Amino acid sequence: MMTDDSAPVYTAADVGADSILLVDDTVILRDRLAMAMRQRGFLVQTAGSYDEAVEVFHHSPTDLAVLDLRMPGRSGLDLLRKLLQLSPNTRIIMLSGFGSIPASIDAVRAGAVNFLSKPADADDILAAITRGDDPTVPTGEVSFPAPSLARNEWEHIHRVLSDCGGNISEAARRLGIHRRSLQRKLRKRAPEDPASPEVIENDPTAQ
């Protein structure tokens, strides 16, 4: 299916899957993604930690899984290995924030379909799945670009809002800004990622 601006909108039928597990300790982002996946025809399971995800998945394995790399307790990489042990055919996408992309590459090497920088929306995730099980993984020395200040601010705001249980007034108080200013910021899309990681070739002439 295509939107008016020709951007692809993927559904459960497009990726050949019926169910998906979403694991992220940020409640607001997880719930938004769950809603979007349900609208695309998926049966959605959610969890906020390694232990919760393993329990949910053990009782109801899913065709797809989306895992946050960094969570309290055991990491998304540990969870990836456990889920693939329980269900080798589950296709898994790893989500990572800035500074954790190298570990996400390790996740791909451990069996993830691909990795995406956070925040990623439903179509970003489903597009990564439809591209197939052959992600491009940089080799050699890799330089990872620093996040922009706008991106850092966006992620910090959503983390604080999640910690406040979605209470905008309390989040605004903790952030030290007016409630209306926070509401305006929340209506904006996440700033674009910086440039892709740059593979630095070894120069034999370099001193």
Side-chain angles (χ1 to χ4, degrees):
M1 183 169 58
M2 305 290 286
T3 61
D4 292 340
D5 59 2
S6 298
V9 176
Y10 298 94
T11 66
D14 293 325
V15 299
D18 296 320
S19 57
I20 188 167
L21 171 66
L22 306 175
V23 186
D24 195 315
D25 62 304
T26 304
V27 177
I28 292 175
L29 297 182
R30 186 179 73 218
D31 288 350
R32 287 178 180 173
L33 187 56
M35 180 181 298
M37 290 297 185
R38 290 187 181 101
Q39 291 172 344
R40 286 159 175 75
F42 287 96
L43 175 64
V44 179
Q45 303 276 8
T46 63
S49 67
Y50 174 97
D51 291 336
E52 184 181 358
V54 170
E55 181 177 358
V56 168
F57 194 82
H58 179 76
H59 288 95
S60 184
T62 55
D63 301 318
L64 309 176
V66 180
L67 313 180
D68 186 14
L69 180 62
R70 292 187 175 180
M71 300 180 290
R74 300 184 68 174
S75 72
L77 188 57
D78 290 336
L79 180 57
L80 165 73
R81 296 188 178 109
K82 180 63 175 180
L83 297 189
L84 289 178
Q85 182 182 46
L86 294 172
S87 176
N89 293 326
T90 294
R91 290 175 285 171
I92 299 175
I93 292 287
M94 184 69 69
L95 300 184
S96 68
F98 288 104
S100 56
I101 294 179
S104 294
I105 294 175
D106 290 339
V108 170
R109 291 171 176 155
V113 171
N114 215 325
F115 71 89
L116 296 171
S117 295
K118 294 180 67 176
D121 64 22
D123 291 313
D124 294 331
I125 292 166
L126 298 180
I129 291 171
T130 59
R131 284 196 297 267
D133 298 335
D134 187 23
T136 300
V137 179
T139 58
E141 185 180 355
V142 181
S143 175
F144 291 91
S148 66
L149 290 175
R151 182 62 174 259
N152 272 333
E153 179 191 49
W154 192 95
E155 292 189 353
H156 178 62
I157 284 173
H158 280 79
R159 175 68 65 177
V160 171
L161 185 61
S162 176
D163 290 343
C164 296
N167 186 315
I168 293 178
S169 296
E170 175 60 18
R173 186 190 67 79
R174 294 189 188 185
L175 291 165
I177 61 177
H178 194 278
R179 187 176 189 276
R180 290 182 180 177
S181 296
L182 177 56
Q183 288 175 318
R184 285 195 296 270
K185 291 177 181 292
L186 291 172
R187 286 196 292 267
K188 296 179 180 179
R189 285 183 57 86
E192 294 294 329
D193 289 343
S196 298
E198 175 185 1
V199 177
I200 302 174
E201 302 291 346
N202 292 327
D203 184 353
T205 65
Q207 299 298 321

